[in-house]
């Protein structure tokens, strides 16, 4: 049975550098970083004191105030991004066959804001016997990861396949890849998919600090996230949501949809190596990229642009560079590679969605976003990372990598739609 073709027709974002697609894209191509001193709480006792926080988000534009009070921040981000994506797609919800429309939105961590605030209320109860009564009846539905997908499906009325990947920093890419396959198999005609994250809390942030995973360039936050640079010292924690609308090709063409690009391939793999560190030889990333290209029926030489996972950590950037060399051979030196995390910080479970959208916009505009803060070349990271300035190029095929704690790897391949 031939595979059904799947296209990307809508995008929506809530990010540290813009809560709409135009502002987000302008920030990426002009290197306007969202990293700054952390404002959510007093971080003066933490070894890292910087983050990429969402700014100016107005939940009341997307839901009523009563509903908003009953939702964790990551779910609010997801609903907003999903509604933006559907609006961008030009889809008339009144004409959608809802049983063939689904939602697949994940989160790497889920409702940390809710867990921490509710636990604090429990501990502060004056009468220990009455402490349990202080717990909100909405605690569980507010914190569980699948609620982003569940609430978006309720908001849109979509009754088709509904699920949520939870694969750390590979979450959004796995969610989008799985949604792509659901349509390809004929189980849905429309999927709203991506990732959402809001874990910049005392415990979430503190946990990454304890891991020594975050940059401590506290005196110069805007230059702290520096993927592939020799002086990188860790990633910068971010938050937000990124959601896309995927459609079966004939369904999209029939309604006259704008098509950003065509979904071409999806690969995933496991390192089976370590809880947090990537396999030094890049074996998992290599197999993942190879699987995505095989699924797309494309050769490495067909790829024009790679949006790298590129976290700005010493281990990841070196490993990913080696993996790209292994997969692409001589073509690795000719392929343009960039990490947009210098601008956005690391959006964790939402990262893969934002980075796939960056690929789609690069394909649409012919502009490749740069890797900012690239100042000192690293001999072990010696490829073309489009340093500091965006470049113009017609992109026919783009690849996006996402690599998560636990050894989860996901790669998406998109190509220019040609009818």
């Amino acid at each position: 049975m031939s595979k059904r073709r799947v296209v990307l027709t809508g995008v929506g974002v809530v990010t540290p550098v813009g809560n709409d697609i135009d502002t987000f894209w302008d920030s990426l191509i002009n290197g306007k970083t969202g990293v700054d001193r952390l404002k959510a709480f007093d971080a003066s006792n933490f070894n890292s004191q910087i983050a990429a926080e969402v700014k100016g988000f107005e939940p009341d534009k997307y839901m009523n105030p009563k509903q908003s009070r009953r939702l964790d921040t990551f779910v609010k981000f997801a609903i907003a991004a999903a509604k933006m994506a559907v609006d961008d797609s030009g889809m008339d919800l009144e004409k959608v066959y809802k049983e063939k429309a689904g939602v697949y939105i994940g989160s790497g961590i889920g409702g940390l804001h809710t867990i921490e605030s509710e636990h604090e209320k429990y501990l502060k109860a004056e009468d220990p016997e009455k402490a349990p009564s202080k717990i909100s009846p909405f605690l569980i539905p507010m914190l569980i990861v699948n609620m982003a997908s569940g609430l978006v499906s309720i908001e849109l009325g979509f009754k088709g396949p509904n699920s949520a990947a939870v694969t750390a920093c590979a979450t959004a890419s796995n969610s989008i890849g799985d949604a792509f396959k659901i349509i390809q198999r004929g189980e849905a005609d429309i999927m709203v998919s991506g990732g959402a994250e809001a874990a910049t809390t005392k415990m979430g942030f503190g946990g990454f600090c304890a891991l020594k995973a975050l940059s401590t360039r506290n005196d110069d936050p805007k230059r702290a996230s520096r993927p592939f640079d020799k002086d990188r010292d860790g990633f910068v924690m971010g938050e937000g949501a990124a959601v896309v609308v995927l459609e079966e090709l004939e369904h999209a063409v029939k309604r006259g949809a704008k098509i950003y690009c065509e979904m071409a391939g999806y690969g995933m793999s496991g390192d089976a190596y370590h809880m947090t560190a990537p396999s030094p030889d890049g074996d998992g990333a290599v197999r993942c990229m190879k699987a995505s290209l095989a699924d797309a029926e494309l050769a490495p030489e067909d790829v024009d642009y790679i949006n790298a996972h590129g976290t700005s950590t010493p281990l990841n950037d070196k490993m990913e560079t080696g993996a790209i060399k292994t997969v692409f051979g001589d073509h690795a030196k000719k392929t343009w590679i960039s990490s947009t995390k210098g601008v956005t910080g690391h959006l964790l479970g939402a990262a893969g969605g934002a980075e796939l959208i960056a690929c789609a916009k690069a394909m649409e505009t012919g502009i490749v976003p740069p890797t900012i803060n690239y100042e000192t070349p690293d001999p072990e990271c010696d490829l073309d990372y489009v340093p500091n300035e965006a470049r113009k190029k017609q992109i026919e095929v783009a690849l996006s990598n996402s690599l998560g704690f636990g050894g989860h790897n996901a790669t998406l391949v998109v190509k220019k739609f040609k009818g």
Side-chain angles (χ1 to χ4, degrees):
M1 191 171 84
S2 61
K3 298 176 181 178
R4 301 203 314 167
R5 294 172 68 185
V6 180
V7 291
L8 193 159
T9 59
V11 298
V13 293
V14 176
T15 76
V17 292
N19 302 328
D20 62 84
I21 187 59
D22 290 338
T23 307
F24 168 74
W25 182 240
D26 180 74
S27 298
L28 289 194
I29 61 175
N30 290 298
K32 301 174 186 175
T33 184
V35 180
D36 210 334
R37 298 284 299 186
L38 182 61
K39 295 180 175 62
F41 55 87
D42 180 4
S44 57
N45 293 327
F46 293 80
N47 56 34
S48 178
Q49 297 158 16
I50 56 178
E53 297 172 273
V54 167
K55 306 159 191 72
F57 175 64
E58 300 177 71
D60 293 354
K61 289 174 62 177
Y62 306 99
M63 63 205 78
N64 67 59
K66 181 179 179 180
Q67 180 189 22
S68 180
R69 289 193 297 271
R70 295 176 174 179
L71 300 177
D72 191 88
T73 306
F74 86 99
V75 178
K76 296 177 195 180
F77 288 167
I79 290 173
K83 287 186 173 181
M84 278 186 257
V86 170
D87 184 61
D88 183 55
S89 76
M91 190 181 301
D92 183 347
L93 292 178
E94 296 298 319
K95 296 180 180 179
V96 171
Y97 179 44
K98 304 294 178 60
E99 292 183 13
K100 292 286 279 185
V103 182
Y104 209 125
I105 299 173
S107 178
I109 297 175
L112 272 189
H113 281 278
T114 296
I115 294 170
E116 290 184 32
S117 63
E118 290 298 311
H119 187 233
E120 188 173 356
K121 285 195 296 183
Y122 177 87
L123 292 177
K124 287 184 175 180
E126 293 182 6
D127 184 347
E129 291 186 5
K130 294 182 179 179
S133 68
K134 301 297 182 182
I135 300 171
S136 169
F138 294 99
L139 169 63
I140 300 303
M142 285 173 76
L143 71 87
I144 52 180
V145 166
N146 64 293
M147 201 51 67
S149 230
L151 266 293
V152 168
S153 74
I154 292 169
E155 288 290 308
L156 301 177
F158 285 6
K159 299 180 179 181
N162 191 294
S163 193
V166 187
T167 49
C169 305
T171 291
S173 292
N174 278 134
S175 293
I176 293 168
D178 291 348
F180 162 41
K181 291 300 171 183
I182 285 170
I183 297 175
Q184 204 173 61
R185 294 194 299 265
E187 296 169 17
D189 294 327
I190 303 165
M191 291 294 293
V192 173
S193 182
E197 203 76 87
T200 312
T201 67
K202 291 178 183 178
M203 295 303 292
F205 189 79
F208 282 115
C209 283
L211 275 173
K212 304 288 193 245
L214 301 182
S215 171
T216 56
R217 195 181 286 257
N218 299 318
D219 58 341
D220 193 6
K222 297 195 180 303
R223 294 170 63 233
S225 183
R226 45 200 313 111
F228 303 106
D229 185 85
K230 185 179 180 181
D231 296 325
R232 66 193 184 275
D233 71 328
F235 76 85
V236 174
M237 192 169 171
E239 61 184 1
V243 175
V244 299
V245 174
L246 303 182
E247 289 184 67
E248 188 272 328
L249 175 58
E250 289 185 16
H251 185 280
V253 170
K254 186 176 181 181
R255 68 177 188 84
K258 170 184 67 179
I259 294 174
Y260 282 95
C261 57
E262 182 170 358
M263 300 298 295
Y266 171 43
M268 56 179 172
S269 69
D271 282 357
Y273 174 73
H274 189 271
M275 288 174 67
T276 58
S279 178
D281 60 4
D283 170 66
V286 166
R287 288 183 289 106
C288 190
M289 284 186 276
K290 285 183 174 180
S292 70
L293 290 169
D295 185 49
E297 298 181 357
L298 293 169
E301 294 75 23
D302 295 321
V303 176
D304 301 301
Y305 169 58
I306 298 172
N307 188 294
H309 189 56
T311 58
S312 183
T313 59
L315 290 178
N316 175 90
D317 297 2
K318 173 186 172 182
M319 177 280 295
E320 190 174 10
T321 295
I324 290 170
K325 289 180 179 180
T326 299
V327 173
F328 288 84
D330 292 340
H331 189 63
K333 295 282 187 181
K334 304 172 188 175
T335 306
W336 290 7
I337 303 161
S338 68
S339 169
T340 42
K341 288 184 175 73
V343 170
T344 64
H346 192 344
L347 305 190
L348 307 176
E355 290 153 15
L356 181 69
I357 290 170
C359 289
K361 290 294 292 182
M363 199 164 284
E364 178 192 44
T365 63
I367 302 173
V368 173
T371 302
I372 68 166
N373 298 325
Y374 187 87
E375 297 171 346
T376 308
D378 182 343
E380 295 185 300
C381 298
D382 57 352
L383 299 177
D384 184 350
Y385 305 111
V386 193
N388 302 313
E389 297 289 336
R391 296 182 195 159
K392 292 184 177 181
K393 183 178 184 178
Q394 290 303 311
I395 305 298
E396 298 292 323
V397 177
L399 180 150
S400 179
N401 280 331
S402 296
L403 317 172
F405 281 3
H408 300 284
N409 307 303
T411 300
L412 298 168
V413 179
V414 291
K415 62 184 180 182
K416 186 176 284 292
F417 174 66
K418 295 184 177 178

